[in-house]
Amino acid sequence: MKLQRMNRRAIALGALAASSALVLTACGSDDNGDSSGSSSSASASTQAGSIKCNDAKGQLLADGSSAQKNAIDAWVAQFSKACGVQINYKASGSGAGVTSFNQGQLAFAGSDSALKPEEVTASKKVCTGGQGIDLPMVGGPIAVAYNLSGVDNLVLDAPTLAKIFDSKITKWNDAAIKKLNPDAKLPDLKIQAFHRSDESGTTDNFTKYLIAATPDNWKYEGGKAWQAKGGQAAAQSAGVAAGVKQTNGAIGYMELSYVADGMKAVSIDTGASAPVAPSSDSATKAIADAKVIGTGKDLSLQLNYTTKADGAYPITLVTYEIACDKGNKADTLPATKAFLTYIASEDGQGLLNGLKYAPMPADIIAKVRTTIDGLS
Amino acid sequence: MSNATIADKRPGALHGARLPKWSPWAIAAGSLLVAVGIGAGAGLDSKVQWGLIAALLFLFATYGIAAYVEGRRQAKDRIATGLVWVAFLVALVPLVSLVWTTISRGVKVLDVYFLTHSMGVVPDSQPGGGIYHAIIGSLEQVGLATIIAAPVGILTAVYLVEYGRGKLARAVTFFVDVMTGIPSIVAGLFILSLMLIFDMEPFGFAGSMALAILMMPVVVRSTEEMLKLVPNELREASLALGVPKWRTILKVVLPTSIGGITTGVMLAVARIAGETAPVLLLVFGNRFINNNPFEGAQQSLPLYIYQQYAQSAGANAAYDRAWAASLTLIAFVMILNLVARGIARWKAPKSGR
Amino acid sequence: MDITTQNTEDTPPPAPQPTEAEQKRNARGATRPGDRIFLGLSRGSGIFLLVIMAAIAVFLTYRASLAISKDHGNFLTTFEWNTNIQPPTFGIAVLAYGTIISSIIAMVLAVPIAVAIALFLTHYAPRQLRGPIAYVIDLLAAVPSIVYGLWGALILVPHLTGLFGWLNDYFSWTGVLSWDEGPPRSMLTVGILLAIMILPIITNVSREVFRQVPQMHEEAALALGATRWEVIRMAVLPFGRSGVISASMLGLGRALGETMAVATVLSPDFLIHASLLNGGGGTFAQNIASKFSEADEFGRDALIASGLVLFVITLLVNGAARLIIARRAEYSGANA
């Protein structure tokens, strides 16, 4: 047509782009060879043998919590190597994950909070004959990290934390902080408390802890959006971490893996014999105190934020994988099941320690395994 | 206005006294020295203040000296020159810093391996992996968007300039203006809701459609400007020879302005190549290579950068990859730009200004 | 005939002037099949654009109405954005304020500097430098906003402490420029980053406009003995005014809708702060990006409602710009 003539140039350019893309397709590679070794790859070769693939094939789409991103990455590395299935996990957030799952776009979703009743109702449209269920899979301590030159060890308790994040305590040399840290040289410096500006399961769990542990000092409703006024906000855990790192006198909450050079994690005085620092072990101990409150095949947990057990770190977050109990899509079911079976297995959970996550306690993970076996 | 000022007081001589050519530099150096002196002397520790003092000193000194030697009008001229230079230098600082940061951080991991491998199964928190899948995704999505948006945009511009009168044309003009202001995430949401109606899973072409929506108004605007620059004599000459209007447009108007149009299209391409938000919603992102834009999730460069920055647990390896991908994206845009300029120069009407 | 020559000399002609004879010719031309097809195609494209716009508008309005009808607060005045609680309460007051204030800061900073750079490139810079610098500026106009965001968060923010301290020392009495020594992640930071982002765009377009100033105007002014500055003031700026305005509008459009860069440098909250140096506030696009990933269906609808408001603001701004340009056009170029 004439159209083509007049736009010859534009089309030629488009074609150029497309054809150069085609030419390029010849030379790219998904094979990253041995460079894919993760910190935990020492056991990779032995593990690969124990993964059961069960005719899994193709590519799985999954989306959800960014908190479990590193864990999923590590699992995917092992699983893909063994089964050749590509698992494409986009960590765009729990809410987006659940929304997309209920729109039927995903094989499974990851979420930092259990499905709400209306979300379960919505999931029935996608799961023919069944519904979406929560499978607790990854635990993670939420660290409270600070940047304060000259102070290497900081202990706080729930009321003090609440007051700091509610802008009631504004100076580092406040009496309440001094009382908990008699030996530290606390400067006369303004506290810059960082919270998440985006909505997030991390905020949700952090404020749930404050509400449970010190309701008098934290009179907000909680939820994924930060409620208190005042303080500094930054987008994503990456933003909070960058903010704390750049600012002397800053404090903020984030997943433990973000706590890196320039920051230190606060130990929490829970009333146990000694203050507890965030770690994989201390988080697992706290999760062991949790109750399963899900009904039917749903295994959602109620965490005990006020635990006083020795060595249990109370500010923890549990990420659930969400799949249909019945009515998973036929083409993705084998791969989904195989992948979930793998990550709930001892090998799968074993990877978590090295990545600053917390594996699920034995009794909970046993229930998870049984449930996964029954997925259809 | 100017007769009074131009008929200046200076008697006789065509040239009044002039300051030597090096004088601006001398004044600049002088005021910088004095500013440092004042700053250090008064114990002002803010460098901003030093700079400000220096700039003010420079302007006052220039004005004073020039007014004394050359007269008021020349002094104003020198002030204007000084301000323009200062503005340029001030603007240069952040822009150079941006380019420098991207390059210096980007080259750390940018190599052939990085360009020819996907992330595959490499965890984001570990070093390794590459952006090949993102490059492919970006090229295909942007290429398809261009194939949709460029013809529609150019034809619309032709309609507006060559045919358009009356209500329809005015409506189109107005809404094209409005369309330039659509937040990119809204375009993404629009396509997403269409996808949900038709029950589709994310795929590359969905991203292309959103990008095309963002691209069309830009193409219309720039093409419109270029078509308006085509002298009417050319059109009239062609029409007078009995050439039909459509052939006049195809054979005379468009070839005359093809250079400018191409530049406009290329700039629009560059603009959408960096869009993150709609892509985030529509193409899903992918760690593996997917060459087919019509099926399955794809990756794109801006999305890759965003993910490496925001979702990688603050691992330095991920930040390095984010910068390297930024550098690649800028290089891609730069090459497009060069190509556009080349075409513009090659095709520019020889009779132009 | 002389009408058309004047047109090509002075202003870009809007279109072939529809003299009577020409209209007849058009009418005759339109009966040829080729002409009809071509006219149909080009008009069809225009209509296609309109249809897309209409579809987007309808879609936005529909989704927005779903959310607004359930809003417990006042959509226009509530200082809160809580779509996950029952009953949901959200309002755009803070976002509208933040969007407008940050764009104003960006425009105030960027437009004069951009015009100055454009003049620098057309009238002041050494001739060998013009090409390369113009190229670099072109390039910067196309740097993706996510890169500006990365740079802003990691480089710009730490370097603003000095400036903020200085402003606070000398201007805190204004109230607008007082600082509580928090990290410099405020509306002013956003304004500065946006200014840096839109600077290349405005410069680019303005430069094109200034280059088209008829040589004869400038030469006439020079011949009268005008200095370079007088030439610019009397010949270049009046001619370029409408072009600079539309360039600024392009920049403003980008500033109003910028998402990623704002989200990475701002420390948002849902309050309106008097001071521009203290963190807080928010913009439409930033809020959409921040809340979107955790929003459920309803939350998304609420965000779309805020997007609709941004859309309307853009529409108003563009309409206003059109009016200004139309009015200015009478005085610009041709009569200067």
Side-chain angles (χ1 to χ4, degrees), chain A residues 310-321:
Chain A
D310 270 354
Y313 184 81
I315 320 176
T316 46
L317 165 158
V318 169
T319 307
Y320 303 96
E321 313 307 333

Side-chain angles (χ1 to χ4, degrees), chain C residues 141-155:
Chain C
V143 170
S145 56
I146 180 76
V147 179
Y148 278 102
L150 278 181
W151 177 81
L154 300 176
I155 311 286

